[in-house]
Amino acid sequence: MYTNRKSCIIKVLIILCLLYFGIHVLTNGGPVIRELQQSGRSLAALDTQNVESIVQEGSALQLSTVNTTKVVQTEINSKPSSSTTSSTAKPEPTVSEKIKEITRCIDRPLVPKTQQRGDYWVLYNYIPAEKTFKCEETVTYTTHADYSFMDNLVPLLERWGAPISIALHAPGTDFEDTLESIAHLRECTSPLVRELVTFHIYFSTKHVPKEVPKHNALFQEPYNCSLTPPYLNVSSEQMYKAQKKLLYPVNVGRNVARETAQTHFILPSDIELYPSPNISSKFLDLVATNKGPLLSKNPKVFPLHIFEVSANSPVPESKTMLKEMLHNRTALPFHKKLCSGCHNIPKAKEWQTAPESEGLHVFHVGKRNGRFVHWEPIFIGTHSDPLYDERLSWEGKSDKMTQGYALCVMNYDFLILDNAFLVHKPGIKVYKKDPKRAMLAAKTNQLIKKIIFPELKVLYGTRKGCAV
Ligand SMILES: *[C@@H]1O[C@H](CO)[C@@H](O)[C@H](O)[C@H]1NC(C)=O
Ligand SMILES: *[C@@H]1O[C@H](CO)[C@@H](O)[C@H](O)[C@H]1NC(C)=O
Ligand SMILES: *[C@@H]1O[C@H](CO)[C@@H](O)[C@H](O)[C@H]1NC(C)=O
Ligand SMILES: *[C@@H]1O[C@H](CO)[C@@H](O)[C@H](O)[C@H]1NC(C)=O
Ligand SMILES: *[C@@H]1O[C@H](CO)[C@@H](O)[C@H](O)[C@H]1NC(C)=O
């Protein structure tokens, strides 16, 4: 992304900085360099960062550097910049530079490692994406699945067009099918899979596969793309997970995928929820404006409206198309027929009638209280948001409720986005009786009420109007 010219300028800058700091050390002793090091940024990191903000940060650390900083800045500005033709005007910072300055985010490495996590083994970054990202550069969609859901990956990717971090539950013999599914997706479908998707795999310590190749010894044989990929037409009986009657540890997967995301902003979601096109770049444009509700002191997340469409309908490409489909009833708000309270969003009616506009804006700032006390929103957030409770399973339901409680007590603002939304893979869910799941859900409710909720009250405290 950086031209040779720019990196040359940066080198000159580094030398200037070194010179300046050298003189400073000789005259004033070495506190600035020490403090710069303590602030976690090295001079070598200059080429990846907004130079001006670093210099300013250095100056903020110690008053005596202020005046020289100005000199250095003037020099920066007087050099021709690679991004503008003007040689005197200060170049407008790019969106990425603004995001970096606003978030002060730290880059995260994409390194494979094998680690235990509670009752699970996790192969973190087992198959990393070819492209890596700086923390300010984009937004990562983080999700979880087993191999039977991997048919969603390509449609998801084509709409998202930005990095995806996915944790796959692959106990026992499901592991082989999972690897084969990944090979098929990487070799025989969209090139975006290799480029943008990082796969993590996890399984219970009681269900370790017979063989687990080292991450650098994977996929050495060429893959035959005429074979049917294992993820098509999987009947649940043929899966190891079903044969052994294992529960799906959804929150282990959610947390693994989230923690490994390289970017500051993340969209933790479910793999069957396809985002409207180009959310990531429009979202960063919004954050870069840094005004209005974005400036509130409260922590914040950015919920997305969720819809479902009937089985043979296309997934809407824009809010305008979505509105037409809502009008002719080929689209509905998500789970309207299953659990309308769970995904009800503040000002939903107004949102659905508001016309589409250019870019992304905050439509409304909501709270998880009052009528929305049990809201399980899906939102763009950051690594600072509370994780999910790993004792909860998908089958037991309520798997996001404890996080919701924590957000409420911490007084999060929910900045609902206007032109962005999620659409479930086509097919409208209707209520089916499942006595086994109902029993598990009842048990989960007891676990939350008797054990988890009292813990949350100790750890996060209480606030009027908040509930799990
Ligand atoms: C630094 O600059 C400020 C104004 O820009 C000036 O008031 C101050 O005297 C300067 N300090 C030194 C040490 O030159
Ligand atoms: C690839 O798989 C197809 C279908 O099973 C088979 O006919 C073909 O011989 C295989 N090709 C190679 C190179 O193994
Ligand atoms: C999967 O099932 C669908 C219908 O149930 C069928 O049309 C399709 O051919 C099957 N695909 C494979 C690869 O077996
Ligand atoms: C998404 O962004 C790309 C590049 O900015 C653009 O070419 C494409 O038309 C956009 N797609 C939609 C649906 O807005
Ligand atoms: C509903 O609206 C969508 C979007 O305009 C259109 O593609 C679809 O054909 C319509 N369906 C019916 C049944 O009218």
Side-chain angles (χ1 to χ4, degrees):
M1 218 188 268
Y2 289 86
T3 61
N4 284 339
R5 203 159 162 215
K6 183 146 185 183
S7 65
C8 173
I9 291 169
I10 285 164
K11 273 180 204 150
V12 169
L13 256 175
I14 291 175
I15 292 166
L16 275 175
C17 287
L18 284 172
L19 262 176
Y20 158 63
F21 285 119
I23 291 162
H24 194 84
V25 169
L26 286 177
T27 55
N28 276 355
V32 176
I33 288 184
R34 210 163 46 239
E35 278 175 308
L36 257 187
Q37 283 166 344
Q38 280 167 356
S39 80
R41 296 162 189 260
S42 69
L43 291 170
L46 272 174
D47 65 336
T48 63
Q49 301 187 357
N50 182 338
V51 172
E52 191 183 306
S53 83
I54 284 222
V55 176
Q56 280 175 343
E57 186 164 299
S59 70
L61 290 170
Q62 198 177 359
L63 275 172
S64 69
T65 70
V66 165
N67 291 2
T68 330
T69 300
K70 285 209 172 116
V71 175
V72 175
Q73 267 182 34
T74 322
E75 291 200 27
I76 298 169
N77 296 339
S78 64
K79 307 240 170 187
S81 148
S82 60
S83 57
T84 68
T85 47
S86 151
S87 60
T88 48
K90 185 177 165 187
E92 173 70 7
T94 63
V95 170
S96 280
E97 285 165 345
K98 286 184 194 159
I99 300 288
K100 180 85 193 185
E101 200 176 323
I102 294 165
T103 62
R104 294 277 156 108
C105 63
I106 299 165
D107 289 337
R108 300 161 151 258
L110 195 61
V111 181
K113 59 179 180 183
T114 302
Q115 242 172 44
Q116 233 176 322
R117 183 179 186 114
D119 296 333
Y120 296 86
W121 279 107
V122 185
L123 311 173
Y124 290 95
N125 298 318
Y126 191 42
I127 300 154
E130 283 171 357
K131 214 166 159 191
T132 56
F133 292 90
K134 296 199 203 107
C135 59
E136 71 276 19
E137 220 177 324
T138 179
V139 183
T140 307
Y141 185 106
T142 72
T143 191
H144 59 89
D146 61 38
Y147 76 90
S148 69
F149 282 85
M150 285 169 76
D151 57 322
N152 293 294
L153 196 60
V154 172
L156 171 61
L157 200 48
E158 283 173 344
R159 295 170 67 87
W160 180 243
I164 294 182
S165 168
I166 179 170
L168 296 161
H169 180 228
T173 57
D174 286 348
F175 185 78
E176 283 165 56
D177 290 309
T178 304
L179 278 191
E180 213 178 307
S181 299
I182 296 172
H184 187 94
L185 285 160
R186 282 171 60 98
E187 300 301 325
C188 320
T189 67
S190 163
L192 293 175
V193 177
R194 295 176 80 105
E195 195 179 312
L196 295 173
V197 184
T198 293
F199 298 91
H200 324 277
I201 293 187
Y202 69 103
F203 37 77
S204 155
T205 52
K206 296 195 187 76
H207 299 276
V208 177
K210 280 222 168 62
E211 253 182 274
V212 175
K214 299 273 175 300
H215 70 88
N216 50 8
L218 280 166
F219 306 141
Q220 288 179 338
E221 317 259 295
Y223 184 81
N224 182 350
C225 287
S226 339
L227 300 171
T228 307
Y231 55 80
L232 284 187
N233 295 354
V234 188
S235 72
S236 75
E237 303 86 66
Q238 77 198 62
M239 294 183 71
Y240 178 94
K241 169 186 172 274
Q243 289 161 4
K244 301 286 171 181
K245 302 193 164 59
L246 305 183
L247 296 180
Y248 179 59
V250 56
N251 286 347
V252 177
R254 282 198 180 113
N255 290 347
V256 167
R258 235 191 75 166
E259 286 181 343
T260 43
Q262 289 196 284
T263 54
H264 178 77
F265 287 109
I266 47 181
L267 169 53
S269 180
D270 293 335
I271 191 168
E272 290 184 303
L273 298 176
Y274 305 161
S276 52
N278 288 358
I279 292 183
S280 60
S281 59
K282 293 181 203 161
F283 174 75
L284 294 181
D285 289 346
L286 166 65
V287 174
T289 63
N290 204 26
K291 60 181 190 196
L294 291 161
L295 294 175
S296 147
K297 287 275 177 288
N298 295 334
K300 36 188 121 29
V301 290
F302 301 83
L304 297 165
H305 276 259
I306 315 174
F307 297 89
E308 50 193 335
V309 297
S310 56
N312 300 315
S313 293
V315 179
E317 290 296 325
S318 63
K319 184 169 179 196
T320 305
M321 180 169 172
L322 170 69
K323 282 180 67 179
E324 285 165 21
M325 292 178 70
L326 286 166
H327 190 72
N328 71 17
R329 308 215 152 244
T330 50
L332 285 176
F334 189 55
H335 279 187
K336 192 175 173 80
K337 299 198 173 165
L338 216 56
C339 167
S340 59
C342 305
H343 297 278
N344 213 356
I345 293 194
K347 302 263 184 238
K349 280 226 172 70
E350 292 86 341
W351 189 94
Q352 286 170 34
T353 49
E356 183 172 357
S357 56
E358 191 66 30
L360 268 188
H361 317 88
V362 176
F363 185 77
H364 174 71
V365 181
K367 290 281 185 186
R368 190 184 183 268
N369 55 23
R371 271 174 59 219
F372 306 99
V373 69
H374 298 302
W375 188 19
E376 286 192 80
I378 291 200
F379 50 75
I380 298 177
T382 71
H383 291 281
S384 333
D385 306 329
L387 287 164
Y388 304 92
D389 195 303
E390 296 185 11
R391 286 166 290 188
L392 303 178
S393 68
W394 179 79
E395 289 81 356
K397 301 187 182 174
S398 308
D399 46 52
K400 292 203 285 280
M401 292 296 186
T402 58
Q403 190 209 41
Y405 176 77
L407 296 176
C408 181
V409 175
M410 293 159 89
N411 201 22
Y412 265 70
D413 286 340
F414 293 80
L415 277 54
I416 299 162
L417 297 172
D418 63 351
N419 298 309
F421 54 89
L422 296 165
V423 180
H424 193 273
K425 174 188 175 177
I428 288 177
K429 277 200 188 155
V430 288
Y431 180 72
K432 262 197 278 179
K433 248 198 169 132
D434 183 346
K436 198 163 154 253
R437 207 172 161 194
M439 201 187 73
L440 276 168
K443 261 181 150 169
T444 298
N445 286 340
Q446 285 304 303
L447 171 68
I448 292 178
K449 201 169 132 198
K450 295 244 162 69
I451 299 188
I452 299 179
F453 189 42
E455 292 172 6
L456 294 176
K457 284 198 281 196
V458 173
L459 291 164
Y460 291 100
T462 54
R463 176 184 292 273
K464 195 162 171 277
C466 297
V468 281

